Amino acid sequence: MWQDKRDQSTDRGHFAIGRILQQGHFTTRILKIAVCAFAILSISANNSAWATSSKDELDNQAAQQLQQPNPTGSQRVSRVILGSESPVQPQIEFQRRAVIPQVNSKNSSKKLSIIANSQATEIVAKTDVTTIVPAPVPIPVTLNRYEKLLTNKAQRYIDKNWNETTGLIDSVQGYTHATMWDIASGIGALLALEALNVSDPHVTDIRLAKLLTTLYNLPLYDGKLPNRQYNTVTGKPSGRYSDTPSNGNGWSALDLGRLYIWLAIIAQKKPHLAADVDNIKLKWQLNAAVHRKTLYGTKLTSKKEYFRQEGRLGYLQYAATGYQMMNLDVANAFNCDRLKEINIEGMSVKTDVRNLPFLTLDPFLLYTIEVGSEASCWNQLSTLFELHNFKYKTNQKLTAYAEDSLSKSPWFLYNNIYYQGQAWHSVSHSGKPIADSQTFSNKAAFAMSVIFQNEYSEKLATQVITNSARHSEIPTGLYHNGKTNTAYNINTNSLILVSLWYKTRGRIAIWQD
């Protein structure tokens, strides 16, 4: 078996250009944004300065923030400094979900014995095909002023990085490339802005129509499915082999699955755009990424084209749900016969026994907010939330382990809850350990805070608001040393917008109408 990872070319438009832009290009736009009153009670040592602010001062600052106009249009990042195709640019290396050879099983077995009390037990094989069940009518919930501030910050990211020519949004601020995963995040952000009453429905329709037209006109890899990455200004393939007859170096089955979920949501929320979605479905060979009733991606190298199974626990099932929405049979993607249970902090956690089993919060959070929270043999979000809560009670340090862009090398990380025999293990796209890693993901923390309601989830929300206070867009998170990860990106800002949308719906998943 083979696992999917980010390709080392420029598959997903994340990460390195942020290094140039974070040097102060946008500092003139930074706003003085305050934190909510209840933040004073839960500020960490790294934010002690905020804890000394009075409630009245914070409220006054927040009110001023909400009254300030939202910048649009002309604030896009200059393309002159971005030329990602220019030979003078430093090489950008990261991976999205490409396939790589299976690691040596003997070495893997040895690594699995590193953690004490991590004795694995086989889970009985079963198939648990996701059934999408309609939900009750949502009961509207009103956002507080601090949540509205987050909405405004995320909107600024969208306005700055939206491309009028294609309707696509840059994956990382100023980096003019995006994968299908990033494009799905852009769709979610646009719909959320309308649902949160900060974007006019007519504007949303124009932007979505342009995006759908671009998707329909994309040069497809081998004439079948979208390439792993495209230029957000031109709509042309980018990355390796982008200028060849193949139109790129392959497709990511996982990225497409996430996109399919949001295309289905467009058709549901915007019936007048459903025909555009149908046209895309008819043009793309959707079944090319399905083999043996599970997901398969392609990877073109200098030697040959590889066609391999993609996806591990969480990511596979989440993406496969999108294929279900496209009426494709991917029943085997929901099998649980490749899972084992291990012990972390005294809790039983499921892991994937195949190679490169990245285990983060992301797919479980996305599935719950976008699709639903039905019980299954693979979904373990509640367990992972409790595990984070226990970790906080143990060391009084808030954490949220997710995949994220980085503002420094290696430009992207998988912050794994468990990976290759170690708990709480951060690795790069290539699986190399990262010493000074990010340990708090703003998007993952905020998503947890709207799904769960307890003291710990409130602390997570407060920390995200605190982390964002001095930024005009929502930053990615906090590094282990407490410094801010300023790799502003679409996935962070989108998930926080969609999480707020989910909250206003009375915590009913976006798909469930």
Side-chain angles (χ1 to χ4, degrees), residues 22 46 122 193 196 232 235 257-258 293 319 356 362 448 462 465 485 508:
Q22 312 311 328
N46 293 327
E122 294 284 352
L193 286 172
L196 295 171
T232 54
R258 171 160 167 73
K293 295 186 179 182
L356 294 169
D362 294 84
M448 282 193 287
T462 299
I465 295 169
N485 175 9
I508 294 177

Side-chain angles (χ1 to χ4, degrees), residues 189-416:
L190 293 174
L191 287 171
L193 286 172
E194 178 185 320
L196 295 171
N197 298 315
V198 294
S199 180
D200 185 88
H202 181 64
V203 173
T204 304
D205 288 351
I206 291 174
R207 287 182 164 183
L208 287 176
K210 184 164 292 187
L211 183 152
L212 292 172
T213 298
T214 296
L215 287 179
Y216 181 82
N217 292 323
L218 289 178
L220 302 179
Y221 173 77
D222 198 25
K224 297 178 181 177
L225 288 168
N227 184 45
R228 293 172 179 273
Q229 175 179 295
Y230 287 85
N231 186 295
T232 54
V233 176
T234 66
K236 302 298 183 182
S238 58
R240 292 181 180 178
Y241 307 111
S242 58
D243 294 326
T244 66
S246 66
N247 286 321
N249 68 335
W251 67 72
S252 167
L254 292 188
D255 288 12
L256 288 169
R258 171 160 167 73
L259 177 62
Y260 295 160
I261 290 174
W262 280 102
L263 288 179
I265 291 174
I266 287 180
Q268 179 195 63
K269 307 292 184 185
K270 301 281 189 179
H272 55 285
L273 295 177
D276 294 333
V277 173
D278 288 339
N279 289 336
I280 292 170
K281 291 162 59 177
L282 290 172
K283 184 176 181 180
W284 295 0
Q285 297 182 28
L286 306 185
N287 60 355
V290 177
H291 182 59
R292 298 176 180 174
K293 295 186 179 182
T294 189
L295 309 189
Y296 272 67
T298 61
K299 176 68 180 298
L300 179 65
T301 70
S302 59
K303 296 181 179 180
K304 61 179 292 187
E305 178 190 72
Y306 294 90
F307 183 63
R308 297 166 178 163
Q309 188 273 329
E310 282 190 7
R312 298 294 178 261
L313 174 60
Y315 286 103
L316 174 59
Q317 293 82 8
Y318 166 69
T321 302
Y323 287 78
Q324 283 187 328
M325 292 178 175
M326 297 294 112
N327 299 315
L328 295 170
D329 185 358
V330 289
N332 289 341
F334 296 92
N335 285 345
C336 291
D337 58 345
R338 293 297 191 95
L339 305 183
K340 285 187 178 181
E341 289 186 353
I342 60 164
N343 187 294
I344 303 177
E345 314 286 3
M347 298 184 189
S348 180
V349 176
K350 298 172 184 176
T351 62
D352 203 304
V353 300
R354 291 170 286 188
N355 65 308
L356 294 169
F358 298 125
L359 180 61
T360 74
L361 285 164
D362 294 84
F364 304 101
L365 294 169
L366 294 173
Y367 183 86
T368 299
I369 290 174
E370 296 171 6
V371 182
S373 57
E374 292 80 12
S376 68
C377 64
W378 63 269
N379 196 343
Q380 56 180 342
L381 179 58
S382 295
T383 299
L384 299 183
F385 174 77
E386 289 303 324
L387 191 59
H388 279 75
N389 193 358
F390 180 84
K391 186 176 177 66
Y392 170 73
K393 291 178 180 178
T394 301
N395 59 20
Q396 294 300 298
K397 184 177 177 63
L398 292 171
T399 56
Y401 273 57
E403 63 165 68
D404 270 307
S405 305
L406 298 177
S407 58
K408 59 185 180 180
S409 180
W411 316 116
F412 190 88
L413 91 163
Y414 284 96
N415 224 5
N416 294 288

Side-chain angles (χ1 to χ4, degrees), residues 47-99:
N47 299 290
S48 58
W50 285 92
T52 61
S53 301
S54 69
K55 179 180 183 299
D56 290 340
E57 179 183 357
L58 294 173
D59 286 347
N60 289 337
Q61 291 177 351
Q64 293 174 5
Q65 288 287 332
L66 289 171
Q67 293 172 0
Q68 293 181 0
N70 189 32
T72 58
S74 62
Q75 293 186 324
R76 286 191 50 73
V77 180
S78 169
R79 300 303 181 192
V80 176
I81 67 170
L82 301 177
S84 59
E85 307 302 330
S86 170
V88 300
Q89 292 284 333
Q91 176 151 9
I92 303 167
E93 293 187 357
F94 61 89
Q95 298 180 335
R96 179 63 186 98
R97 304 185 193 283
V99 286

